[in-house]
Amino acid sequence: VRAGILTFLLEHKRTAEALTELHVNWLSVSRLLNGEPAYEDGNNELLLSDDEVMSALHSLLTTQSSLPNLDWLDVHIEHTVLQKPDLVDTDVLEKMPAALPSITKLTLGGCFPVMVQLPLPDPAQIRVPMESRSRFRGRYLTTPELEHFFRSIQSQLTSLSLYEIQLSHSHIAAFLPLIGKHLTRLEIFNCEQGIFRPRARVSDATATFIAQHCSNLESFGIAGSDITATGLSAILEANRNISKLNLSRIENRRMNYREIMDVIERWVPRVQSLRHGSIFRFDRERDWVVSPGLISLINSQLRHPDGGGVSLRTLQVSRLFYRVSPRRRELALRSLRYALNNGVQRVEVCPAVHPQRIDRDVFRDGHQDVLRALEAEFPHVSFVELPHPFYVEGSECNGID
């Protein structure tokens, strides 16, 4: 998407009326190459017209019936690229429902940081540069504004994917009862609330709330959470038709890989894809997808009464055994090979860090050697290295395929 395309939609109503999907990937807009910005010769200015693009996007999202038949809005804005990334401000929240009256799938990443309405800590205790402190005061959207936005949507949302947005339990509790019963896909990635530690993450209380208001999910994803087996079990028990499950960056150390796989095997034994995106700390439980519990899940599917055999087709892992002991690597490889020999057809590998922070050592510890060996051993399996830390099912901005 370029500014000219967005402006064209504003000026040509017939074309805008025919549009049913709009995907905006800021890594493409800003011409980022492999996580590094492209520069003019000897010039330190980025090759992007962010003001023009943001202005055109803002106009599309605030002009009544600008995209009357748009079914899917998918916008990913990279915080590290754009100085002022809050595309979805109060004005947009107020007018977007009328601009997009037919929307049923909504994906917003890094578009509007949100904070609960709490007093700021003592400025003397804030370790933030003085010039940046004003950013944290008054520009963040409130719980009532989000509730009003979701209440004003004119069609029934069936898919909601939010990532890199600051949300608290109160935000989710405000809008989920309005849309939850119709959702078949819900993704909440890296939606930590607060800029000061400790940050409030999605916990068991929020997971239980999701279970109470969502019972038709077929795809569920969460990253950067504090949930335990109790919260995960509540969601999966209420949504036994989930076939696509993404659990990344579970920060609660009481949640280990055995519990995760046990809960999955109990409530959604016919799951088709398991994804575990990148983590930002190297804890021992990060690669639960290729834990010994995977063999148990495969065996459970082989024995399932429906006789359909193994339904699991996609696995996503956070790199291939990055910084693990030889014994853990051996166990993980055994689990992975067992899955590949019994029906898994696709393996996605996430980077261990954000793409913009990748250094020259990112492929050390034999990662590439392991990947190449597996590709040779299983030529019928598709191995894909993802450019982003996690895969968003409700987005076309994952940069693959």
Side-chain angles (χ1 to χ4, degrees), residues 316-349:
Q316 178 187 316
V317 297
S318 177
R319 298 193 36 78
L320 287 175
F321 327 125
Y322 184 62
R323 290 185 178 180
V324 298
S325 67
R327 172 172 170 74
R328 186 172 293 276
R329 179 178 297 195
E330 180 183 350
L331 291 174
L333 276 171
R334 184 174 68 180
S335 298
L336 183 56
R337 284 193 171 98
Y338 190 80
L340 298 180
N341 280 317
N342 284 278
V344 170
Q345 299 174 351
R346 178 184 176 91
V347 176
E348 300 167 354
V349 184

PDB file of all heavy atoms in Angstrom, residues 316-349:
ATOM      1  N   GLN A 316       4.572 -24.529  14.708  1.00  0.00           N
ATOM      2  CA  GLN A 316       5.453 -23.362  14.694  1.00  0.00           C
ATOM      3  C   GLN A 316       6.304 -23.393  15.950  1.00  0.00           C
ATOM      4  O   GLN A 316       5.800 -23.568  17.055  1.00  0.00           O
ATOM      5  CB  GLN A 316       4.655 -22.065  14.662  1.00  0.00           C
ATOM      6  CG  GLN A 316       5.534 -20.820  14.706  1.00  0.00           C
ATOM      7  CD  GLN A 316       4.727 -19.556  14.847  1.00  0.00           C
ATOM      8  OE1 GLN A 316       3.715 -19.377  14.183  1.00  0.00           O
ATOM      9  NE2 GLN A 316       5.158 -18.672  15.735  1.00  0.00           N
ATOM     10  N   VAL A 317       7.597 -23.250  15.775  1.00  0.00           N
ATOM     11  CA  VAL A 317       8.513 -23.282  16.911  1.00  0.00           C
ATOM     12  C   VAL A 317       9.312 -21.987  16.955  1.00  0.00           C
ATOM     13  O   VAL A 317       9.487 -21.300  15.944  1.00  0.00           O
ATOM     14  CB  VAL A 317       9.467 -24.488  16.843  1.00  0.00           C
ATOM     15  CG1 VAL A 317       8.693 -25.783  16.907  1.00  0.00           C
ATOM     16  CG2 VAL A 317      10.316 -24.436  15.572  1.00  0.00           C
ATOM     17  N   SER A 318       9.792 -21.667  18.143  1.00  0.00           N
ATOM     18  CA  SER A 318      10.614 -20.479  18.325  1.00  0.00           C
ATOM     19  C   SER A 318      12.065 -20.842  18.071  1.00  0.00           C
ATOM     20  O   SER A 318      12.789 -21.276  18.969  1.00  0.00           O
ATOM     21  CB  SER A 318      10.432 -19.945  19.743  1.00  0.00           C
ATOM     22  OG  SER A 318      11.274 -18.834  19.947  1.00  0.00           O
ATOM     23  N   ARG A 319      12.473 -20.702  16.818  1.00  0.00           N
ATOM     24  CA  ARG A 319      13.778 -21.168  16.358  1.00  0.00           C
ATOM     25  C   ARG A 319      13.905 -22.662  16.576  1.00  0.00           C
ATOM     26  O   ARG A 319      13.019 -23.290  17.143  1.00  0.00           O
ATOM     27  CB  ARG A 319      14.906 -20.405  17.043  1.00  0.00           C
ATOM     28  CG  ARG A 319      14.862 -18.919  16.724  1.00  0.00           C
ATOM     29  CD  ARG A 319      16.083 -18.132  17.096  1.00  0.00           C
ATOM     30  NE  ARG A 319      17.352 -18.777  16.956  1.00  0.00           N
ATOM     31  CZ  ARG A 319      18.002 -18.942  15.808  1.00  0.00           C
ATOM     32  NH1 ARG A 319      17.447 -18.551  14.687  1.00  0.00           N
ATOM     33  NH2 ARG A 319      19.177 -19.514  15.778  1.00  0.00           N
ATOM     34  N   LEU A 320      14.972 -23.235  16.118  1.00  0.00           N
ATOM     35  CA  LEU A 320      15.164 -24.669  16.263  1.00  0.00           C
ATOM     36  C   LEU A 320      16.200 -24.938  17.344  1.00  0.00           C
ATOM     37  O   LEU A 320      17.409 -24.936  17.088  1.00  0.00           O
ATOM     38  CB  LEU A 320      15.582 -25.295  14.924  1.00  0.00           C
ATOM     39  CG  LEU A 320      14.458 -25.383  13.895  1.00  0.00           C
ATOM     40  CD1 LEU A 320      14.983 -25.905  12.572  1.00  0.00           C
ATOM     41  CD2 LEU A 320      13.340 -26.274  14.394  1.00  0.00           C
ATOM     42  N   PHE A 321      15.683 -25.079  18.577  1.00  0.00           N
ATOM     43  CA  PHE A 321      16.511 -25.527  19.689  1.00  0.00           C
ATOM     44  C   PHE A 321      17.665 -24.554  19.962  1.00  0.00           C
ATOM     45  O   PHE A 321      18.804 -24.933  20.149  1.00  0.00           O
ATOM     46  CB  PHE A 321      17.027 -26.934  19.429  1.00  0.00           C
ATOM     47  CG  PHE A 321      16.037 -27.751  18.658  1.00  0.00           C
ATOM     48  CD1 PHE A 321      16.383 -28.373  17.485  1.00  0.00           C
ATOM     49  CD2 PHE A 321      14.724 -27.849  19.099  1.00  0.00           C
ATOM     50  CE1 PHE A 321      15.448 -29.099  16.762  1.00  0.00           C
ATOM     51  CE2 PHE A 321      13.796 -28.578  18.381  1.00  0.00           C
ATOM     52  CZ  PHE A 321      14.150 -29.196  17.215  1.00  0.00           C
ATOM     53  N   TYR A 322      17.311 -23.282  19.955  1.00  0.00           N
ATOM     54  CA  TYR A 322      18.279 -22.212  20.163  1.00  0.00           C
ATOM     55  C   TYR A 322      18.700 -22.178  21.632  1.00  0.00           C
ATOM     56  O   TYR A 322      17.882 -22.078  22.528  1.00  0.00           O
ATOM     57  CB  TYR A 322      17.635 -20.885  19.750  1.00  0.00           C
ATOM     58  CG  TYR A 322      18.533 -19.687  19.818  1.00  0.00           C
ATOM     59  CD1 TYR A 322      19.678 -19.598  19.036  1.00  0.00           C
ATOM     60  CD2 TYR A 322      18.217 -18.616  20.647  1.00  0.00           C
ATOM     61  CE1 TYR A 322      20.481 -18.485  19.072  1.00  0.00           C
ATOM     62  CE2 TYR A 322      19.013 -17.489  20.686  1.00  0.00           C
ATOM     63  CZ  TYR A 322      20.149 -17.434  19.901  1.00  0.00           C
ATOM     64  OH  TYR A 322      20.943 -16.321  19.944  1.00  0.00           O
ATOM     65  N   ARG A 323      19.995 -22.278  21.882  1.00  0.00           N
ATOM     66  CA  ARG A 323      20.556 -22.219  23.234  1.00  0.00           C
ATOM     67  C   ARG A 323      19.928 -23.263  24.162  1.00  0.00           C
ATOM     68  O   ARG A 323      19.395 -22.932  25.225  1.00  0.00           O
ATOM     69  CB  ARG A 323      20.373 -20.832  23.832  1.00  0.00           C
ATOM     70  CG  ARG A 323      21.235 -19.750  23.178  1.00  0.00           C
ATOM     71  CD  ARG A 323      21.085 -18.442  23.917  1.00  0.00           C
ATOM     72  NE  ARG A 323      21.951 -17.427  23.327  1.00  0.00           N
ATOM     73  CZ  ARG A 323      22.028 -16.174  23.773  1.00  0.00           C
ATOM     74  NH1 ARG A 323      21.297 -15.811  24.798  1.00  0.00           N
ATOM     75  NH2 ARG A 323      22.826 -15.317  23.197  1.00  0.00           N
ATOM     76  N   VAL A 324      19.912 -24.481  23.744  1.00  0.00           N
ATOM     77  CA  VAL A 324      19.400 -25.553  24.595  1.00  0.00           C
ATOM     78  C   VAL A 324      20.505 -26.582  24.803  1.00  0.00           C
ATOM     79  O   VAL A 324      21.455 -26.670  24.032  1.00  0.00           O
ATOM     80  CB  VAL A 324      18.164 -26.226  23.975  1.00  0.00           C
ATOM     81  CG1 VAL A 324      17.034 -25.233  23.823  1.00  0.00           C
ATOM     82  CG2 VAL A 324      18.485 -26.867  22.636  1.00  0.00           C
ATOM     83  N   SER A 325      20.332 -27.364  25.827  1.00  0.00           N
ATOM     84  CA  SER A 325      21.316 -28.398  26.127  1.00  0.00           C
ATOM     85  C   SER A 325      21.223 -29.506  25.086  1.00  0.00           C
ATOM     86  O   SER A 325      20.187 -29.697  24.442  1.00  0.00           O
ATOM     87  CB  SER A 325      21.056 -28.975  27.518  1.00  0.00           C
ATOM     88  OG  SER A 325      19.821 -29.679  27.532  1.00  0.00           O
ATOM     89  N   PRO A 326      22.305 -30.275  24.899  1.00  0.00           N
ATOM     90  CA  PRO A 326      22.265 -31.391  23.932  1.00  0.00           C
ATOM     91  C   PRO A 326      21.144 -32.379  24.231  1.00  0.00           C
ATOM     92  O   PRO A 326      20.502 -32.879  23.293  1.00  0.00           O
ATOM     93  CB  PRO A 326      23.648 -32.030  24.099  1.00  0.00           C
ATOM     94  CG  PRO A 326      24.530 -30.917  24.570  1.00  0.00           C
ATOM     95  CD  PRO A 326      23.661 -30.073  25.453  1.00  0.00           C
ATOM     96  N   ARG A 327      20.878 -32.654  25.499  1.00  0.00           N
ATOM     97  CA  ARG A 327      19.815 -33.603  25.840  1.00  0.00           C
ATOM     98  C   ARG A 327      18.448 -33.048  25.450  1.00  0.00           C
ATOM     99  O   ARG A 327      17.629 -33.768  24.874  1.00  0.00           O
ATOM    100  CB  ARG A 327      19.847 -33.928  27.336  1.00  0.00           C
ATOM    101  CG  ARG A 327      18.654 -34.757  27.783  1.00  0.00           C
ATOM    102  CD  ARG A 327      18.781 -35.248  29.210  1.00  0.00           C
ATOM    103  NE  ARG A 327      17.542 -35.823  29.698  1.00  0.00           N
ATOM    104  CZ  ARG A 327      17.063 -37.002  29.337  1.00  0.00           C
ATOM    105  NH1 ARG A 327      17.722 -37.739  28.470  1.00  0.00           N
ATOM    106  NH2 ARG A 327      15.935 -37.460  29.837  1.00  0.00           N
ATOM    107  N   ARG A 328      18.206 -31.767  25.755  1.00  0.00           N
ATOM    108  CA  ARG A 328      16.908 -31.183  25.399  1.00  0.00           C
ATOM    109  C   ARG A 328      16.744 -31.124  23.889  1.00  0.00           C
ATOM    110  O   ARG A 328      15.656 -31.329  23.363  1.00  0.00           O
ATOM    111  CB  ARG A 328      16.774 -29.800  26.025  1.00  0.00           C
ATOM    112  CG  ARG A 328      15.399 -29.173  25.821  1.00  0.00           C
ATOM    113  CD  ARG A 328      15.258 -27.893  26.616  1.00  0.00           C
ATOM    114  NE  ARG A 328      15.254 -28.180  28.044  1.00  0.00           N
ATOM    115  CZ  ARG A 328      14.172 -28.550  28.715  1.00  0.00           C
ATOM    116  NH1 ARG A 328      13.026 -28.693  28.085  1.00  0.00           N
ATOM    117  NH2 ARG A 328      14.233 -28.783  30.006  1.00  0.00           N
ATOM    118  N   ARG A 329      17.831 -30.825  23.185  1.00  0.00           N
ATOM    119  CA  ARG A 329      17.759 -30.796  21.720  1.00  0.00           C
ATOM    120  C   ARG A 329      17.426 -32.179  21.178  1.00  0.00           C
ATOM    121  O   ARG A 329      16.624 -32.320  20.247  1.00  0.00           O
ATOM    122  CB  ARG A 329      19.085 -30.308  21.141  1.00  0.00           C
ATOM    123  CG  ARG A 329      19.095 -30.274  19.620  1.00  0.00           C
ATOM    124  CD  ARG A 329      20.394 -29.741  19.076  1.00  0.00           C
ATOM    125  NE  ARG A 329      20.611 -28.355  19.487  1.00  0.00           N
ATOM    126  CZ  ARG A 329      21.514 -27.552  18.935  1.00  0.00           C
ATOM    127  NH1 ARG A 329      22.270 -27.991  17.949  1.00  0.00           N
ATOM    128  NH2 ARG A 329      21.679 -26.320  19.358  1.00  0.00           N
ATOM    129  N   GLU A 330      18.038 -33.214  21.755  1.00  0.00           N
ATOM    130  CA  GLU A 330      17.769 -34.577  21.310  1.00  0.00           C
ATOM    131  C   GLU A 330      16.305 -34.954  21.526  1.00  0.00           C
ATOM    132  O   GLU A 330      15.660 -35.541  20.649  1.00  0.00           O
ATOM    133  CB  GLU A 330      18.676 -35.550  22.073  1.00  0.00           C
ATOM    134  CG  GLU A 330      18.485 -37.012  21.679  1.00  0.00           C
ATOM    135  CD  GLU A 330      19.355 -37.941  22.504  1.00  0.00           C
ATOM    136  OE1 GLU A 330      20.237 -37.450  23.235  1.00  0.00           O
ATOM    137  OE2 GLU A 330      19.138 -39.171  22.421  1.00  0.00           O
ATOM    138  N   LEU A 331      15.761 -34.598  22.691  1.00  0.00           N
ATOM    139  CA  LEU A 331      14.354 -34.905  22.981  1.00  0.00           C
ATOM    140  C   LEU A 331      13.424 -34.139  22.037  1.00  0.00           C
ATOM    141  O   LEU A 331      12.428 -34.681  21.550  1.00  0.00           O
ATOM    142  CB  LEU A 331      14.029 -34.556  24.431  1.00  0.00           C
ATOM    143  CG  LEU A 331      14.680 -35.442  25.504  1.00  0.00           C
ATOM    144  CD1 LEU A 331      14.395 -34.877  26.899  1.00  0.00           C
ATOM    145  CD2 LEU A 331      14.159 -36.865  25.393  1.00  0.00           C
ATOM    146  N   ALA A 332      13.754 -32.865  21.784  1.00  0.00           N
ATOM    147  CA  ALA A 332      12.920 -32.054  20.895  1.00  0.00           C
ATOM    148  C   ALA A 332      12.947 -32.593  19.471  1.00  0.00           C
ATOM    149  O   ALA A 332      11.913 -32.667  18.796  1.00  0.00           O
ATOM    150  CB  ALA A 332      13.384 -30.598  20.934  1.00  0.00           C
ATOM    151  N   LEU A 333      14.128 -32.967  18.992  1.00  0.00           N
ATOM    152  CA  LEU A 333      14.234 -33.524  17.647  1.00  0.00           C
ATOM    153  C   LEU A 333      13.463 -34.831  17.523  1.00  0.00           C
ATOM    154  O   LEU A 333      12.832 -35.088  16.496  1.00  0.00           O
ATOM    155  CB  LEU A 333      15.704 -33.738  17.288  1.00  0.00           C
ATOM    156  CG  LEU A 333      16.450 -32.524  16.742  1.00  0.00           C
ATOM    157  CD1 LEU A 333      17.937 -32.819  16.635  1.00  0.00           C
ATOM    158  CD2 LEU A 333      15.886 -32.104  15.390  1.00  0.00           C
ATOM    159  N   ARG A 334      13.498 -35.644  18.564  1.00  0.00           N
ATOM    160  CA  ARG A 334      12.740 -36.898  18.533  1.00  0.00           C
ATOM    161  C   ARG A 334      11.242 -36.618  18.427  1.00  0.00           C
ATOM    162  O   ARG A 334      10.531 -37.271  17.639  1.00  0.00           O
ATOM    163  CB  ARG A 334      13.043 -37.724  19.786  1.00  0.00           C
ATOM    164  CG  ARG A 334      12.371 -39.093  19.769  1.00  0.00           C
ATOM    165  CD  ARG A 334      12.808 -39.936  20.945  1.00  0.00           C
ATOM    166  NE  ARG A 334      12.314 -39.388  22.204  1.00  0.00           N
ATOM    167  CZ  ARG A 334      12.552 -39.931  23.396  1.00  0.00           C
ATOM    168  NH1 ARG A 334      13.320 -41.009  23.491  1.00  0.00           N
ATOM    169  NH2 ARG A 334      12.062 -39.387  24.486  1.00  0.00           N
ATOM    170  N   SER A 335      10.750 -35.645  19.203  1.00  0.00           N
ATOM    171  CA  SER A 335       9.328 -35.297  19.142  1.00  0.00           C
ATOM    172  C   SER A 335       8.949 -34.743  17.777  1.00  0.00           C
ATOM    173  O   SER A 335       7.912 -35.101  17.210  1.00  0.00           O
ATOM    174  CB  SER A 335       8.992 -34.272  20.238  1.00  0.00           C
ATOM    175  OG  SER A 335       9.225 -34.802  21.523  1.00  0.00           O
ATOM    176  N   LEU A 336       9.812 -33.863  17.253  1.00  0.00           N
ATOM    177  CA  LEU A 336       9.524 -33.256  15.961  1.00  0.00           C
ATOM    178  C   LEU A 336       9.534 -34.301  14.846  1.00  0.00           C
ATOM    179  O   LEU A 336       8.648 -34.318  13.988  1.00  0.00           O
ATOM    180  CB  LEU A 336      10.533 -32.145  15.672  1.00  0.00           C
ATOM    181  CG  LEU A 336      10.329 -31.363  14.368  1.00  0.00           C
ATOM    182  CD1 LEU A 336       8.942 -30.764  14.305  1.00  0.00           C
ATOM    183  CD2 LEU A 336      11.392 -30.280  14.232  1.00  0.00           C
ATOM    184  N   ARG A 337      10.519 -35.162  14.848  1.00  0.00           N
ATOM    185  CA  ARG A 337      10.581 -36.207  13.808  1.00  0.00           C
ATOM    186  C   ARG A 337       9.364 -37.126  13.889  1.00  0.00           C
ATOM    187  O   ARG A 337       8.837 -37.564  12.864  1.00  0.00           O
ATOM    188  CB  ARG A 337      11.870 -37.013  13.963  1.00  0.00           C
ATOM    189  CG  ARG A 337      13.111 -36.302  13.465  1.00  0.00           C
ATOM    190  CD  ARG A 337      14.284 -37.269  13.363  1.00  0.00           C
ATOM    191  NE  ARG A 337      15.419 -36.653  12.694  1.00  0.00           N
ATOM    192  CZ  ARG A 337      16.455 -36.121  13.330  1.00  0.00           C
ATOM    193  NH1 ARG A 337      16.478 -36.137  14.659  1.00  0.00           N
ATOM    194  NH2 ARG A 337      17.449 -35.586  12.664  1.00  0.00           N
ATOM    195  N   TYR A 338       8.927 -37.417  15.089  1.00  0.00           N
ATOM    196  CA  TYR A 338       7.751 -38.280  15.246  1.00  0.00           C
ATOM    197  C   TYR A 338       6.525 -37.613  14.616  1.00  0.00           C
ATOM    198  O   TYR A 338       5.725 -38.273  13.937  1.00  0.00           O
ATOM    199  CB  TYR A 338       7.501 -38.546  16.734  1.00  0.00           C
ATOM    200  CG  TYR A 338       6.462 -39.617  16.999  1.00  0.00           C
ATOM    201  CD1 TYR A 338       6.788 -40.971  16.912  1.00  0.00           C
ATOM    202  CD2 TYR A 338       5.147 -39.278  17.332  1.00  0.00           C
ATOM    203  CE1 TYR A 338       5.839 -41.952  17.150  1.00  0.00           C
ATOM    204  CE2 TYR A 338       4.189 -40.255  17.570  1.00  0.00           C
ATOM    205  CZ  TYR A 338       4.543 -41.589  17.482  1.00  0.00           C
ATOM    206  OH  TYR A 338       3.609 -42.554  17.707  1.00  0.00           O
ATOM    207  N   ALA A 339       6.393 -36.309  14.844  1.00  0.00           N
ATOM    208  CA  ALA A 339       5.264 -35.584  14.258  1.00  0.00           C
ATOM    209  C   ALA A 339       5.359 -35.543  12.738  1.00  0.00           C
ATOM    210  O   ALA A 339       4.354 -35.732  12.030  1.00  0.00           O
ATOM    211  CB  ALA A 339       5.211 -34.162  14.824  1.00  0.00           C
ATOM    212  N   LEU A 340       6.554 -35.306  12.209  1.00  0.00           N
ATOM    213  CA  LEU A 340       6.731 -35.227  10.757  1.00  0.00           C
ATOM    214  C   LEU A 340       6.511 -36.573  10.084  1.00  0.00           C
ATOM    215  O   LEU A 340       6.083 -36.641   8.928  1.00  0.00           O
ATOM    216  CB  LEU A 340       8.133 -34.702  10.438  1.00  0.00           C
ATOM    217  CG  LEU A 340       8.453 -33.286  10.947  1.00  0.00           C
ATOM    218  CD1 LEU A 340       9.870 -32.887  10.573  1.00  0.00           C
ATOM    219  CD2 LEU A 340       7.456 -32.275  10.403  1.00  0.00           C
ATOM    220  N   ASN A 341       6.785 -37.651  10.794  1.00  0.00           N
ATOM    221  CA  ASN A 341       6.544 -38.984  10.246  1.00  0.00           C
ATOM    222  C   ASN A 341       5.076 -39.401  10.339  1.00  0.00           C
ATOM    223  O   ASN A 341       4.687 -40.421   9.764  1.00  0.00           O
ATOM    224  CB  ASN A 341       7.401 -40.024  10.982  1.00  0.00           C
ATOM    225  CG  ASN A 341       8.832 -40.058  10.486  1.00  0.00           C
ATOM    226  OD1 ASN A 341       9.083 -40.011   9.284  1.00  0.00           O
ATOM    227  ND2 ASN A 341       9.782 -40.117  11.419  1.00  0.00           N
ATOM    228  N   ASN A 342       4.289 -38.593  11.039  1.00  0.00           N
ATOM    229  CA  ASN A 342       2.887 -38.972  11.256  1.00  0.00           C
ATOM    230  C   ASN A 342       1.897 -37.902  10.820  1.00  0.00           C
ATOM    231  O   ASN A 342       0.818 -37.772  11.405  1.00  0.00           O
ATOM    232  CB  ASN A 342       2.668 -39.311  12.733  1.00  0.00           C
ATOM    233  CG  ASN A 342       3.217 -40.660  13.119  1.00  0.00           C
ATOM    234  OD1 ASN A 342       2.595 -41.695  12.905  1.00  0.00           O
ATOM    235  ND2 ASN A 342       4.422 -40.651  13.689  1.00  0.00           N
ATOM    236  N   GLY A 343       2.246 -37.122   9.803  1.00  0.00           N
ATOM    237  CA  GLY A 343       1.225 -36.278   9.203  1.00  0.00           C
ATOM    238  C   GLY A 343       1.474 -34.785   9.197  1.00  0.00           C
ATOM    239  O   GLY A 343       0.848 -34.065   8.419  1.00  0.00           O
ATOM    240  N   VAL A 344       2.324 -34.255  10.065  1.00  0.00           N
ATOM    241  CA  VAL A 344       2.591 -32.816  10.050  1.00  0.00           C
ATOM    242  C   VAL A 344       3.262 -32.444   8.731  1.00  0.00           C
ATOM    243  O   VAL A 344       4.233 -33.080   8.311  1.00  0.00           O
ATOM    244  CB  VAL A 344       3.473 -32.403  11.248  1.00  0.00           C
ATOM    245  CG1 VAL A 344       3.946 -30.963  11.098  1.00  0.00           C
ATOM    246  CG2 VAL A 344       2.696 -32.568  12.545  1.00  0.00           C
ATOM    247  N   GLN A 345       2.728 -31.416   8.080  1.00  0.00           N
ATOM    248  CA  GLN A 345       3.179 -31.075   6.730  1.00  0.00           C
ATOM    249  C   GLN A 345       3.883 -29.721   6.636  1.00  0.00           C
ATOM    250  O   GLN A 345       4.444 -29.382   5.601  1.00  0.00           O
ATOM    251  CB  GLN A 345       1.975 -31.070   5.774  1.00  0.00           C
ATOM    252  CG  GLN A 345       1.276 -32.415   5.680  1.00  0.00           C
ATOM    253  CD  GLN A 345       0.002 -32.353   4.848  1.00  0.00           C
ATOM    254  OE1 GLN A 345      -0.457 -31.278   4.461  1.00  0.00           O
ATOM    255  NE2 GLN A 345      -0.570 -33.518   4.574  1.00  0.00           N
ATOM    256  N   ARG A 346       3.831 -28.947   7.730  1.00  0.00           N
ATOM    257  CA  ARG A 346       4.405 -27.596   7.682  1.00  0.00           C
ATOM    258  C   ARG A 346       5.036 -27.255   9.027  1.00  0.00           C
ATOM    259  O   ARG A 346       4.430 -27.459  10.082  1.00  0.00           O
ATOM    260  CB  ARG A 346       3.317 -26.570   7.346  1.00  0.00           C
ATOM    261  CG  ARG A 346       3.779 -25.123   7.307  1.00  0.00           C
ATOM    262  CD  ARG A 346       2.585 -24.202   7.061  1.00  0.00           C
ATOM    263  NE  ARG A 346       2.938 -22.793   7.106  1.00  0.00           N
ATOM    264  CZ  ARG A 346       3.310 -22.073   6.046  1.00  0.00           C
ATOM    265  NH1 ARG A 346       3.351 -22.642   4.864  1.00  0.00           N
ATOM    266  NH2 ARG A 346       3.609 -20.789   6.165  1.00  0.00           N
ATOM    267  N   VAL A 347       6.255 -26.744   8.967  1.00  0.00           N
ATOM    268  CA  VAL A 347       6.961 -26.288  10.168  1.00  0.00           C
ATOM    269  C   VAL A 347       7.377 -24.836   9.949  1.00  0.00           C
ATOM    270  O   VAL A 347       8.098 -24.525   8.994  1.00  0.00           O
ATOM    271  CB  VAL A 347       8.200 -27.151  10.468  1.00  0.00           C
ATOM    272  CG1 VAL A 347       8.965 -26.583  11.673  1.00  0.00           C
ATOM    273  CG2 VAL A 347       7.793 -28.590  10.733  1.00  0.00           C
ATOM    274  N   GLU A 348       6.898 -23.967  10.820  1.00  0.00           N
ATOM    275  CA  GLU A 348       7.258 -22.551  10.760  1.00  0.00           C
ATOM    276  C   GLU A 348       8.270 -22.264  11.871  1.00  0.00           C
ATOM    277  O   GLU A 348       8.089 -22.671  13.012  1.00  0.00           O
ATOM    278  CB  GLU A 348       6.022 -21.677  10.951  1.00  0.00           C
ATOM    279  CG  GLU A 348       4.955 -21.903   9.901  1.00  0.00           C
ATOM    280  CD  GLU A 348       3.622 -21.280  10.274  1.00  0.00           C
ATOM    281  OE1 GLU A 348       3.484 -20.772  11.412  1.00  0.00           O
ATOM    282  OE2 GLU A 348       2.697 -21.317   9.431  1.00  0.00           O
ATOM    283  N   VAL A 349       9.323 -21.546  11.522  1.00  0.00           N
ATOM    284  CA  VAL A 349      10.378 -21.229  12.483  1.00  0.00           C
ATOM    285  C   VAL A 349      10.439 -19.723  12.666  1.00  0.00           C
ATOM    286  O   VAL A 349      10.655 -18.981  11.710  1.00  0.00           O
ATOM    287  CB  VAL A 349      11.742 -21.753  12.018  1.00  0.00           C
ATOM    288  CG1 VAL A 349      12.804 -21.491  13.082  1.00  0.00           C
ATOM    289  CG2 VAL A 349      11.665 -23.239  11.695  1.00  0.00           C
TER     290      VAL A 349
END
